């Protein structure tokens, strides 16, 4: 439904978008994930027609948007900076799209529609208040409501939940996903929060320095991250990445020889990174081995076993994050609280990891994260 091809956008000497390619399918909830300055907001503004790229094309429903004004594109955008009328009430801000010539509704129908959206967002009691007297979180909900109140071919949402408290943010995630599904409206959702991307996205695109690094479902990106930066972006606690080399037998060995692991992966659907992952390395090649904390098991198990000592424990509610020293390396794992109550620093422990849960990457370089390496 939304297609960006070869998009380039610069601001002076700063390149915001660099040959960006992006496809968002009809009716899907697509999350665009990246750090500040990666080009997320510029991508939305380019789709909406608020920015004109120096190169490339924007297509909506297969139609080239070159020369099409923003109000003719049929998209609704929610800005992170709210973009509200501060002197008007919340009700009037919500009503403003429904009073425009293109989306005008009869007063009674507009009032009904505004009431539905206000109840959904939990702002029914705020409709008579001037926006200037609302909190940041309340303004954010009004800004989101102004997008949802009118029909649109696509919703463009620029971190719409960033100013909400944790409880409301979790509630609104579910509501947003339901809205898109019920209305069958294509939604492009920008976020820097990987938890939001995993919770909301039918598919996820990872953007970095104005380029799409990888797109795929949550399972694809979790199991087959394109490089170490993508791997680090998903998961709390973060993935363990241990430096080492490829041993003569084709396995992994840490510099001090304390960690030796076989390399074997299970079959999983391919993702769409650009370019393709590197080829299997030869013995002696510097690499990084990756294992997610929840793929490590405390005690003996069916996988490959490692010996170490407890470095520190941190209680996370019903679970405990345990950091274990393996020679010169440290790894973290998450275990049920009952399994870690007796652990103390320097206690000897054994860990188990299945070889098929391991990820192999090239060693990081100063200007480029290490790309994932396919293993036999």
């Amino acid at each position: 439904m939304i297609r960006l091809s070869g998009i380039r956008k610069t601001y002076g000497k700063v390149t915001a978008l660099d040959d960006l390619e992006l496809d968002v399918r009809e009716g899907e909830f697509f999350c665009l994930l990246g750090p500040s300055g990666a080009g997320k907001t510029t991508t939305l503004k380019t789709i909406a027609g608020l920015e004109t790229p120096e190169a490339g094309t924007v297509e909506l429903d297969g139609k080239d948007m070159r020369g099409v004004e923003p109000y003719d594109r049929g998209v609704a955008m929610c800005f992170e900076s709210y973009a509200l009328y501060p002197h008007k009430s919340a009700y009037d801000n919500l009503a403003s799209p429904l009073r425009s010539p293109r989306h005008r509704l009869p007063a009674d129908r507009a009032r009904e529609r505004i009431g539905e959206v206000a109840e959904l967002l939990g702002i029914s009691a705020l409709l008579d208040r001037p926006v200037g007297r609302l909190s940041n979180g309340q303004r954010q909900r009004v800004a989101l409501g102004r997008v949802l109140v009118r029909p649109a071919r696509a919703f463009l949402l620029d971190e719409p939940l960033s100013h909400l408290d944790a409880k409301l943010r979790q509630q609104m995630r579910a509501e947003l996903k339901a809205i898109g599904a019920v209305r069958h409206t294509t939604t492009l959702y920008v976020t820097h929060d990987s938890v939001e991307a995993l919770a909301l996205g039918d598919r996820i695109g990872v953007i970095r320095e104005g380029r799409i690094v990888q797109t795929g479902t949550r399972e694809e990106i979790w199991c087959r991250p394109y490089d170490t930066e993508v791997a680090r972006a998903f998961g709390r606690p973060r993935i363990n990445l241990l430096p080492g080399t490829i041993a003569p037998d084709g396995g992994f060995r840490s510099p001090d020889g304390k960690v030796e692991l076989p390399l074997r992966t299970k079959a999983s659907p391919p993702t769409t990174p650009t370019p393709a992952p590197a080829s299997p390395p030869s013995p002696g090649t510097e690499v990084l081995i990756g294992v997610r904390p929840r793929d490590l098991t405390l005690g003996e198990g069916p996988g490959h076993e490692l010996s170490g000592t407890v470095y520190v424990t941190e209680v996370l509610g019903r679970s405990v994050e345990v950091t274990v020293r393996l020679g010169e390396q440290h790894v973290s794992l998450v275990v049920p609280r009952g399994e870690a109550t007796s652990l103390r620093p320097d206690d000897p422990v054994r860990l188990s990891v299945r070889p098929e849960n391991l990820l192999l990457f090239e060693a990081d370089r100063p200007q480029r994260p290490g790309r994932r390496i396919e293993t036999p």
Side-chain angles (χ1 to χ4, degrees):
M1 191 275 179
I2 301 173
R3 172 169 292 176
L4 306 183
S5 303
I7 298 295
R8 179 175 176 81
K9 178 64 182 177
T10 60
Y11 300 97
K13 296 182 179 180
V14 177
T15 300
L17 301 178
D18 186 10
D19 196 29
L20 183 136
E21 304 280 338
L22 178 65
D23 283 286
V24 181
R25 300 166 185 163
E26 179 74 30
E28 81 172 337
F29 199 113
F30 189 99
C31 285
L32 187 62
L33 175 79
S36 297
K40 305 186 299 296
T41 298
T42 304
T43 299
L44 293 189
K45 289 182 177 180
T46 300
I47 296 169
L50 303 178
E51 296 286 359
T52 302
E54 286 93 36
T57 58
V58 177
E59 295 181 9
L60 297 177
D61 285 335
K63 181 181 178 181
D64 192 339
M65 291 291 105
R66 188 182 288 109
V68 179
E69 295 295 334
Y71 51 76
D72 284 328
R73 298 194 178 197
V75 299
M77 182 169 174
C78 178
F79 297 87
E80 184 182 6
S81 59
Y82 317 131
L84 299 170
Y85 301 108
H87 62 288
K88 293 187 176 182
S89 67
Y91 182 93
D92 286 335
N93 272 273
L94 291 174
S96 58
L98 305 180
R99 293 169 178 168
S100 68
R102 295 176 182 275
H103 306 289
R104 188 182 302 277
L105 288 179
D108 56 344
R109 181 68 186 95
R111 191 177 304 108
E112 179 183 348
R113 181 70 191 131
I114 292 168
E116 292 172 357
V117 172
E119 183 176 357
L120 170 66
L121 298 175
I123 56 174
S124 298
L126 307 175
L127 293 180
D128 294 331
R129 293 190 193 179
V131 165
R133 292 172 52 192
L134 300 181
S135 68
N136 286 341
Q138 291 167 340
R139 293 177 192 178
Q140 186 83 75
R141 283 180 275 169
V142 173
L144 182 57
R146 194 172 60 177
V147 171
L148 301 179
V149 78
R150 72 174 179 87
R153 298 160 67 186
F155 295 142
L156 307 178
L157 308 181
D158 190 3
E159 306 207 37
L161 309 184
S162 58
H163 296 287
L164 304 183
D165 61 70
K167 181 179 179 181
L168 186 56
R169 187 162 60 244
Q170 185 175 9
Q171 174 187 335
M172 284 307 305
R173 285 177 194 160
E175 297 291 356
L176 281 174
K177 191 71 178 286
I179 290 168
V182 170
R183 294 190 183 178
H184 305 289
T185 303
T186 304
T187 303
L188 178 54
Y189 184 100
V190 156
T191 182
H192 66 274
D193 186 343
S194 62
V195 175
E196 281 190 358
L198 290 171
L200 288 171
D202 297 322
R203 287 193 304 143
I204 300 168
V206 181
I207 186 171
R208 186 190 308 146
E209 297 178 350
R211 288 175 174 263
I212 299 296
V213 177
Q214 182 176 6
T215 60
T217 64
R218 59 177 68 87
E219 291 81 9
E220 290 169 344
I221 290 183
W222 180 270
C223 297
R224 314 297 266 183
Y226 172 61
D227 60 20
T228 54
E229 282 300 297
V230 176
R232 290 185 181 105
F234 291 88
R236 299 292 183 272
R238 294 172 68 175
I239 189 172
N240 299 296
L241 291 171
L242 307 180
T245 57
I246 298 298
D249 63 0
F252 169 85
R253 178 181 296 165
S254 64
D256 60 4
K258 298 292 186 180
V259 180
E260 294 186 353
L261 292 165
L263 297 176
R264 186 175 71 254
T265 60
K266 57 186 176 182
S268 61
T271 57
T272 54
T274 304
S279 302
S282 57
T285 302
E286 292 185 356
V287 294
L288 291 168
I289 197 77
V291 56
R292 297 197 181 277
R294 295 186 184 277
D295 289 331
L296 284 166
T297 303
L298 190 63
E300 297 182 358
H304 188 85
E305 292 189 3
L306 299 169
S307 297
T309 57
V310 175
Y311 182 68
V312 69
T313 60
E314 182 179 357
V315 177
L316 306 173
R318 295 182 178 180
S319 61
V320 177
E321 180 182 348
V322 182
T323 303
V324 175
R325 185 188 296 111
L326 302 175
E328 298 176 356
Q329 311 295 329
H330 292 80
V331 297
S332 296
L333 66 152
V334 178
V335 299
R337 189 168 182 175
E339 295 182 15
T341 53
S342 62
L343 292 180
R344 298 292 182 271
D346 297 325
D347 283 352
V349 291
R350 296 187 67 82
L351 306 180
S352 176
V353 57
R354 292 180 180 272
E356 61 267 25
N357 290 336
L358 298 173
L359 296 169
L360 187 65
F361 300 91
E362 298 173 331
D364 284 336
R365 303 303 178 192
Q367 301 299 322
R368 194 191 76 184
R371 292 181 297 171
R372 178 177 52 82
I373 300 171
E374 294 286 5
T375 54

